[in-house]
Structures are given as C-alpha cells and as structure tokens.
Amino acid sequence: MQIIPDKVPRHIAIIMDGNGRWAKQKGMPRVLGHRSGVKSVREVTEAAAQVGVEYLTLYAFSTENWNRPPAEVTALMSLLVETIKGEIRDLNKNGVRLLAIGDIEALPASTYKALMDGIEKTKNNTRINLVLALNYSAKWEILHATKLLAEQAAAGTLNPADINEELFENALSTRGIPDPELLIRTSGETRISNFLLWQIAYAELYFTPVFWPDFGKEELLAAIASYQNRERRFGKISEQLV
Ligand code: IPE
Ligand code: IPE
Ligand code: MG
C-alpha cells in the first residue's frame, strides 16, 4: 500500500467493533473476541507510529457498554487491567504514551488504578500518543464541558460572551489533542455510536467490513490511502485548493 509520507493524518480515531461477531463466527465465546482484539491494538499502534501518526484514539468502552451482560462487562474490565499492566514495558520500549478520555474516575477502582499507573509510567514517551476512550460517550463529554463552563460563569470567572470554540475545546476530555482527520469503524456498522461528536465535525469517515480482531497493519494503511485520495474542501470549491 502506497502512503504519501507528508499527507499522513496527525490523528486517527478508531471504533474497534466486531469482536463479538468475530468470536461467534468461530464458535467461540465473545470474550475471546475481545482478547484477540488486543493483538490488533498492538499491531495498529505500531503501524500508526511507523507512518508518523501522532495520536491514535481507540474507542474501547462506551458509557452504553455498561448495559451489556454483567459477565461481559466484568471480563472487559479485567482484560483492560491485565492488558494495561502487561503492556507497560512494551509501550515504553516502543515510545508509546498512554492517555485516556472519558469518565475514567467512574471506572471500577482496579481499572482506574491500572490506567492511571499506565499513564504515569509512559508519560515521557514521544513516538505516538495512544488515547483510550474508556467509559466514554460524546454526549457525556459535551455535557460535562458545558457544566464546567456554566459553573465558571455562575462563579463569575467566565463571561458567557467569551465562550468560543477554543474555550469549549479546552473543557472537553480531548483538551490539547488535535481533532482526528480520519475516523475508522470496523465490522461493517456505519454509525458513530456516541463517539467524538464534536471532534469529528470535519473528519473523513472510513468504514470497513473487517472485524476488529482481523484488522491490522495492511487494513490501517488501506484506510490511510483512502484518506489520502480524498479532497478535503472545508466548504470551499476545488479550484480554491492549492
Ligand atoms: C467491540 O466489539 C468491543 C466493545 C464494544 C467493547 P463488540 O463487542 O461490540 O463486537 P460485536 O459488535 O458484538 O461483534
Ligand atoms: C461502540 O461499539 C463502542 C466501542 C467500540 C467501544 P458498540 O458495539 O458498543 O456499538 P453499537 O452498540 O453497535 O452502536
Ligand atoms: Mg459492537
């Protein structure tokens, strides 16, 4: 797959979907699909770093995912703890800085602790930022930001007339992270499922039928190649773009 080095997105966000169906197709329990998904996370993170992506955001657990059967939720939380703890050495070896977005303080204590530990221990890495969206939903994030600003306004430290895009973005959990230029969703579903609604306002969308456990380097490069073939006009007309 031919990639144009100076047209690689700075930020790619991925809705990692299809673990359950991947497992079911193989006659295995859903949890094994999630376990197999970890391998894809490793491979895609490394491939993204190799081509120069600065931020890779992965949707790992949505606020809606709490509504799954309790056993699956518990298994996912354990897998998270186990994976974060087990990967810290390799993250450091590969220059990966771990970050998180979402209502992470509301995660089970052991998950929260493992996550904070991973973030702390990888904070000096600079090759790529791996942002995990955990207990995340875009509506939660936007409401949370709105409340923060409203509190400041009520306290008299913020003039509502001063609220602009930049100020609002600084109240989101993605503060400091550039908007994704490319959003990928695996598994054939063509919906956003409450992910990064503000930040993907101008993202290029890429949908693939491949289930997440089968998504790897080649699939990522294909998505980047598709992105590079698009004309991003931002409201202008073709002739205005140089
Ligand atoms: C994505 O795979 C992982 C999470 C949402 C945690 P799914 O578990 O949604 O897999 P499908 O969509 O049921 O196949
Ligand atoms: C979106 O996938 C959330 C994550 C990938 C973590 P879901 O499988 O939960 O989304 P829906 O239910 O198909 O919209
Ligand atoms: Mg799904």
Side-chain angles (χ1 to χ4, degrees):
M1 195 62 63
Q2 267 318 104
I3 295 296
I4 308 159
D6 60 6
K7 266 183 75 177
V8 169
R10 281 185 76 191
H11 184 177
I12 298 177
I14 307 182
I15 303 174
M16 310 184 285
D17 197 16
N19 294 350
R21 279 164 286 164
W22 180 90
K24 191 173 177 186
Q25 223 178 36
K26 295 184 148 45
M28 304 187 322
R30 292 179 55 85
V31 177
L32 287 187
H34 298 312
R35 291 202 163 267
S36 296
V38 175
K39 171 183 54 58
S40 298
V41 171
R42 268 188 221 111
E43 186 173 329
V44 168
T45 304
E46 181 53 29
Q50 277 172 12
V51 296
V53 171
E54 292 173 47
Y55 293 87
L56 176 68
T57 298
L58 302 178
Y59 203 3
F61 194 88
S62 74
T63 56
E64 286 81 15
N65 288 146
W66 295 112
N67 298 321
R68 291 192 176 196
E72 180 166 343
V73 172
T74 307
L76 277 167
M77 289 300 143
S78 310
L79 180 62
L80 268 165
V81 173
E82 191 186 307
T83 305
I84 295 170
K85 284 187 180 165
E87 295 291 323
I88 291 178
R89 247 190 48 192
D90 280 358
L91 293 177
N92 283 329
K93 200 174 76 193
N94 298 328
V96 183
R97 177 166 75 137
L98 190 65
L99 296 170
I101 57 170
D103 191 4
I104 56 172
E105 284 166 27
L107 286 167
S110 57
T111 313
Y112 178 75
K113 203 170 159 286
L115 185 63
M116 295 317 280
D117 190 50
I119 290 171
E120 174 61 27
K121 288 186 172 145
T122 61
K123 69 178 182 199
N124 295 322
N125 297 333
T126 56
R127 188 160 161 255
I128 189 169
N129 297 285
L130 175 61
V131 186
L132 293 184
L134 280 172
N135 197 16
Y136 177 89
S137 83
K139 286 192 174 182
W140 167 83
E141 182 184 39
I142 290 169
L143 280 176
H144 184 70
T146 306
K147 282 182 197 163
L148 281 176
L149 298 180
E151 279 164 12
Q152 292 169 19
T157 56
L158 169 70
N159 179 354
D162 291 339
I163 297 175
N164 55 20
E165 282 190 23
E166 193 192 345
L167 207 101
F168 193 77
E169 281 167 358
N170 281 331
L172 295 171
S173 45
T174 48
R175 172 181 51 254
I177 300 174
D179 286 346
E181 294 93 337
L182 173 62
L183 171 74
I184 299 171
R185 182 169 188 150
T186 60
S187 91
E189 306 298 352
T190 47
R191 56 176 167 266
I192 300 299
S193 300
N194 217 348
F195 193 39
L196 300 176
L197 293 179
W198 171 282
Q199 298 86 343
I200 60 166
Y202 248 115
E204 296 297 329
L205 309 182
Y206 180 88
F207 298 101
T208 168
V210 174
F211 291 141
W212 178 249
D214 290 330
F215 192 94
K217 179 174 183 167
E218 279 315 303
E219 288 71 24
L220 180 78
L221 296 183
I224 296 174
S226 163
Y227 163 84
Q228 294 188 331
N229 274 321
R230 301 181 192 189
E231 183 175 69
R232 305 189 78 206
R233 290 190 291 278
F234 297 101
K236 297 180 180 172
I237 65 167
S238 275
E239 288 71 16
Q240 290 176 290
L241 310 169
V242 223

